[in-house]
Amino acid sequence: AGSGWGSRGMEGVVGSCRAPLLTWWGLFRGLLLAVLAAGSCQGNSVERKIYIPLNKTAPCVRLLNATHQIGCQSSISGDTGVIHVVEKEEDLNWVLTDGPHPPYMILLDGNLFNRRVMLQLKGTSRVSGLAVAVAKPSPAQGFSPGLKCPNDGFGVYSKDYGPQFAHCNTTVWNPVGSGLSYEDFDFPIFLLEDANETQVIKQCYQDHNVPRDGSGPEYPLCAMQLFSHMHAVTSTVTCMRRSSLQSTFSINPEIVCDPLLDYNVWSTLQPINSSGKVAPEKEVIIVATRIDSHSFFWNIAPGAESAVSSFVTHLAAAEALHKVSDVHSLQRNIMFTFFQGETFDYIGSSRMVYDMEKDKFPLRLDNIHSFVELNQVALRNDSILWMHTDPISRLNASVGPKVSNLLDILSASSEGTNVTLQEAGFSQPLPPSSFQRFLRARNIPGVVLTDHKTAFQNRYYQSMYDTPENIQMQYPEGLSPEETLEYVTDTAKSLAEVATVVARALYRLAGGANTTSAVQADPKTVTQMLYGFLIKMNNSWFQSIIKPDLKGILGDVPQHYVAVSSPVNTTYLVQYVLANLTGTVVNLTKEECQNPEKTPSSEKELYEYAWVQGSLDPNSTSRVPYCVRSTVHLSKALSPAFELRQWGSTEYSTWTESRWKDIRARIFLVASKELEIITLVVGIAILILSLLTTYFINAKADILFSTPRDPGAVAY
């Protein structure tokens, strides 16, 4: 309307008989545009009325190795089906044979999420997807979707080395393992993390989908749609080749998969030049553990027993040793090592061994005096900690006596504690462990400490149920978050005792001559770490020990999946917890701390510096930051297969994760096919009628919108 007035002026309004029509048309056009603009602003309101999004879900995604693809995916436009709740096995009959409205989206009770049921669903076209409700309490019979023989083929035992122990011939380490995580499903599977959302789905099912009087339910029916289309297919060889070709020839390459990667965390008792080489005559004791876990669902990896119990114990032992007065004069150095990606065919340890062999690491394999690994240690029976050794390397004349000495020192270090150490047996092979990757390269004296003699005590290995409850972490009711952080649980006391034994043994192995009674792990530190790594990362202690620009990593529920973007939260936190427990607060300004090379006395080649947030000032809301100097470093945890571009390697891990565009889930009511067809036909008819009407009005516009001429001026 404004443009009409402005372009024609008053003369045009008075002198033209069509001016009123143009003016009203301009006004109508302006109103129409305003309505359309408002509609676009509220455009998703209709979608919100139709769909209920499920916001607290975790998908099963596709992973690939040199030969296979595993996991799940939906079609490119998502998969849809009528919801059917399955709470007992008899309910499957409706889905598999009786139900008249396939395909079905199954809401599956967590207790039925097992290999037998899943293979039934995998073999039918009547299932379009699956939503799994978490079982509470955890399944009493145990649940492990991992393999019975974890990392089979990538450890030390093979047809050339201890063939009698290869493929878990002697000991099945994970008898509960169903291998479900290593199956390939052609429909989407999601975990429902929120009990309230699960109840909403069940209520929708009750209202619309429950069969009445033995006959099928009537439309409208409650349906679910799951989106989790994966870009990679077949194997790592295929997806990496495609990604490589895209990167070579395309300006905007479309990468379809990424290697699983992160960083190992390592530190030494006595500082070493991280960019140089340790002298050949210098001996180093390696103490190691893994810091990653896995489950069937993406980024759901609590790993309480499989990872956290061991690396928390490891951290506590490192703190205890650093408090000893004569550590800097010990005959041998000690390296504390935390490997990432061990769940996926030993990514972290194989990379460190590779770097040592290629002189890309400060240490060489020749520098290793002995190897002590902490594996699963929280579920001990009668306080027994089992010592596992390699029976093949012990036959070596130089290695055998050193292993025996190592076992004697460990056993002696448990005196006066509530921990009893026992040897698993000379003929017992090593359990799945990082130490096996070092043995593949060289005969090294070593021991792996676990809470199991043969099969795992952990009935929830590599599953979503490997939670704090699995390692008996219990708190009194009514505690505030801060009180819970400080409350020393029985689990913390137990792991602190294990850490004490390990620290004392390491002290003696390194040549310590003083009494070890002063070497003591702190249960309070252990309980804080357990709370932070298993219950709530975003706590006051973790907040105080990280850099200000990393505070975004502190999510609520900790997960320990290695992922493809690095470093992940776990790696950062292990790095800064280790620096906090073993480092020193130095009197440097923020600028000096962040740029230590400008300070002559900083010895940058020996130490790492971090400007951390600090604790809250008691009298204000601001923090008191400070500078921490430590020997904590990061090193790559990327499989050598990707460095060498050997994507089909059988020597190194080849695991990749597919990329995806959209992952989401929602429920809605769906009409019958007949009604949908009628709606479509009526819509098309209305469209045709509208087009004809518009054509007719446009053709007769001069007649329909003409106005009578002015009779002219009247003369008086």
Side-chain angles (χ1 to χ4, degrees):
S3 62
W5 281 98
S7 61
R8 297 184 61 83
M10 289 297 294
E11 178 184 356
V13 175
V14 175
S16 171
C17 65
R18 297 184 62 86
L21 173 62
L22 291 174
T23 303
W24 285 109
W25 169 246
L27 180 61
F28 172 74
R29 184 178 61 182
L31 289 171
L32 180 62
L33 291 173
V35 170
L36 290 175
S40 65
C41 292
Q42 302 296 326
N44 61 355
S45 63
V46 174
E47 181 177 351
R48 287 201 300 267
K49 291 177 181 178
I50 296 174
Y51 300 104
I52 299 176
L54 304 173
N55 298 316
K56 291 286 291 180
T57 61
C60 161
V61 303
R62 175 168 290 166
L63 300 175
L64 309 98
N65 65 9
T67 55
H68 293 81
Q69 64 179 31
I70 63 172
C72 324
Q73 78 155 353
S74 73
S75 62
I76 194 167
S77 57
D79 289 331
T80 304
V82 174
I83 295 172
H84 190 74
V85 176
V86 175
E87 295 180 328
K88 52 186 184 298
E89 286 205 43
E90 292 75 18
D91 296 336
L92 288 171
N93 294 332
W94 183 266
V95 174
L96 299 175
T97 56
D98 301 338
H101 304 119
Y104 285 96
M105 278 283 177
I106 299 175
L107 174 55
L108 187 68
D109 183 272
N111 289 295
L112 294 176
F113 185 55
N114 56 55
R115 185 178 181 84
R116 185 180 68 258
V117 170
M118 291 303 297
L119 291 185
Q120 287 185 66
L121 302 179
K122 184 179 179 180
T124 177
S125 60
R126 291 173 59 89
V127 174
S128 60
L130 202 67
V132 180
V134 178
K136 291 185 178 180
S138 302
Q141 71 276 15
F143 174 74
S144 172
L147 298 171
K148 293 182 183 296
C149 190
N151 291 354
D152 186 24
F154 289 86
V156 68
Y157 302 114
S158 65
K159 60 182 176 61
D160 301 317
Y161 187 98
Q164 68 272 31
F165 303 126
H167 313 300
C168 297
N169 286 335
T170 304
T171 305
V172 177
W173 296 106
N174 186 29
V176 185
S178 65
L180 199 58
S181 289
Y182 296 84
E183 290 288 333
D184 183 37
F185 295 92
D186 59 359
F187 53 77
I189 304 176
F190 279 53
L191 176 69
L192 300 173
E193 299 182 75
D194 188 345
N196 292 329
E197 289 188 342
T198 303
Q199 192 55 44
V200 167
I201 299 171
K202 288 184 176 180
Q203 190 60 53
C204 188
Y205 166 79
Q206 292 289 339
D207 293 343
H208 299 279
N209 294 11
V210 174
R212 310 292 181 188
D213 301 323
S215 61
E218 297 181 359
Y219 287 97
L221 298 175
C222 190
M224 183 185 295
Q225 189 172 29
L226 302 178
F227 298 83
S228 62
H229 181 68
M230 300 287 130
H231 294 177
V233 294
T234 309
S235 67
T236 289
V237 176
T238 301
C239 79
M240 289 298 293
R241 184 177 65 243
R242 290 176 179 174
S243 296
S244 179
L245 288 172
Q246 285 274 342
S247 300
T248 303
F249 298 109
S250 176
I251 298 174
N252 297 308
E254 184 179 341
I255 308 300
V256 295
C257 67
D258 301 283
L260 295 181
L261 62 93
D262 204 80
Y263 287 90
N264 298 322
V265 182
W266 63 276
S267 170
T268 51
L269 194 62
Q270 301 163 1
I272 62 173
N273 188 340
S274 60
S275 59
K277 292 289 180 289
V278 174
E281 68 275 8
K282 293 289 185 181
E283 293 184 320
V284 179
I285 302 161
I286 292 183
V287 53
T289 190
R290 68 174 59 188
I291 58 175
D292 69 297
S293 187
H294 180 46
S295 80
F296 186 88
F297 299 99
W298 183 76
N299 207 29
I300 301 295
E305 160 73 340
S306 61
V308 177
S309 68
S310 57
F311 75 68
V312 161
T313 304
H314 187 171
L315 288 164
E319 180 193 32
L321 275 170
H322 272 269
K323 290 180 178 178
V324 178
S325 58
D326 62 337
V327 290
H328 292 289
S329 60
L330 292 177
Q331 178 185 349
R332 301 182 183 95
N333 204 348
I334 299 174
M335 186 170 103
F336 308 100
T337 313
F338 301 81
F339 292 120
Q340 261 287 15
E342 295 301 274
T343 303
F344 295 95
D345 299 337
Y346 307 117
I347 293 174
S349 55
S350 63
R351 179 52 188 261
M352 184 170 284
V353 171
Y354 175 82
D355 287 344
M356 287 181 176
E357 290 177 323
K358 303 298 181 183
D359 281 342
K360 296 180 179 180
F361 196 79
L363 267 68
R364 300 177 181 87
L365 291 170
D366 291 339
N367 293 119
I368 301 176
H369 169 269
S370 52
F371 198 105
V372 177
E373 181 170 352
L374 285 161
N375 213 306
Q376 303 178 81
V377 293
L379 299 176
R380 304 194 311 280
N381 282 334
D382 301 323
S383 299
I384 297 174
L385 197 63
W386 294 96
M387 300 181 290
H388 298 264
T389 57
D390 172 42
I392 306 300
S393 61
R394 288 186 69 175
L395 297 176
N396 183 290
S398 62
V399 173
K402 293 178 181 178
V403 173
S404 298
N405 180 56
L406 177 57
L407 297 176
D408 291 341
I409 290 176
L410 278 164
S411 297
S413 299
S414 66
E415 294 176 3
T417 69
N418 292 323
V419 179
T420 303
L421 277 92
Q422 292 187 15
E423 188 176 352
F426 189 85
S427 60
Q428 176 81 18
L430 286 170
S433 52
S434 306
F435 179 42
Q436 292 200 32
R437 291 301 304 193
F438 284 80
L439 278 178
R440 279 178 75 127
R442 180 158 309 211
N443 281 336
I444 297 171
V447 62
V448 178
L449 302 177
T450 73
D451 55 20
H452 55 88
K453 181 179 181 181
T454 53
F456 295 162
Q457 297 277 15
N458 186 5
R459 294 176 297 120
Y460 305 108
Y461 182 74
Q462 289 186 8
S463 90
M464 56 189 170
Y465 301 114
D466 192 5
T467 58
E469 292 76 19
N470 186 34
I471 58 172
Q472 285 89 50
M473 279 179 62
Q474 297 176 340
Y475 296 92
E477 293 184 4
L479 295 182
S480 67
E482 202 62 28
E483 290 170 334
T484 310
L485 172 66
E486 301 291 336
Y487 181 81
V488 180
T489 63
D490 290 339
T491 302
K493 294 175 184 176
S494 174
L495 292 179
E497 288 183 330
V498 176
T500 297
V501 171
V502 172
R504 290 176 179 178
L506 291 171
Y507 176 75
R508 292 187 60 187
L509 274 171
N514 295 336
T515 177
T516 59
S517 59
V519 182
Q520 189 78 36
D522 186 357
K524 183 178 178 182
T525 302
V526 175
T527 208
Q528 288 178 324
M529 289 191 287
L530 288 174
Y531 179 81
F533 284 112
L534 286 174
I535 297 176
K536 188 177 182 182
M537 279 187 170
N538 194 11
N539 61 73
S540 59
W541 184 45
F542 279 7
Q543 290 169 7
S544 69
I545 64 174
I546 63 170
K547 292 181 177 180
D549 58 342
L550 292 179
K551 58 186 177 183
I553 70 171
L554 297 177
D556 281 333
V557 181
Q559 304 296 347
H560 307 293
Y561 174 60
V562 58
V564 295
S565 57
S566 59
V568 296
N569 300 8
T570 304
T571 303
Y572 272 130
L573 288 171
V574 168
Q575 177 189 7
Y576 284 98
V577 169
L578 183 59
N580 178 267
L581 298 180
T582 63
T584 306
V585 177
V586 290
N587 187 24
L588 295 177
T589 65
K590 180 179 180 180
E591 184 179 356
E592 291 171 336
C593 189
Q594 294 177 337
N595 301 281
E597 64 278 358
K598 296 180 180 179
T599 306
S601 60
S602 66
E603 297 180 292
K604 180 68 173 70
E605 66 280 1
L606 299 180
Y607 297 102
E608 294 287 333
Y609 292 80
W611 184 259
V612 300
Q613 290 194 118
S615 302
L616 285 170
D617 191 319
N619 300 318
S620 71
T621 57
S622 61
R623 295 184 175 274
V624 184
Y626 56 91
C627 186
V628 175
R629 185 186 72 183
S630 70
T631 61
V632 180
H633 306 278
L634 298 180
S635 65
K636 274 187 180 180
L638 170 66
S639 171
F642 298 101
E643 292 274 321
L644 302 169
R645 296 176 67 87
Q646 296 175 359
W647 303 320
S649 172
T650 56
E651 170 71 14
Y652 299 112
S653 171
T654 56
W655 285 105
T656 54
E657 181 185 273
S658 174
R659 287 196 179 186
W660 59 80
K661 183 178 181 181
D662 190 21
I663 287 186
R664 55 194 169 99
R666 60 189 185 182
I667 63 172
F668 57 96
L669 293 181
V670 63
S672 66
K673 293 294 183 185
E674 292 80 5
L675 181 57
E676 289 178 346
I677 292 172
I678 291 171
T679 303
L680 176 63
V681 171
V682 171
I684 293 172
I686 292 173
L687 174 63
I688 294 172
L689 180 62
S690 301
L691 292 173
L692 291 173
T693 303
T694 303
Y695 175 78
F696 173 76
I697 293 173
N698 186 59
K700 303 296 183 180
D702 290 342
I703 298 172
L704 295 173
F705 300 113
S706 64
T707 55
R709 297 180 65 85
D710 290 341
V714 179
Y716 293 95

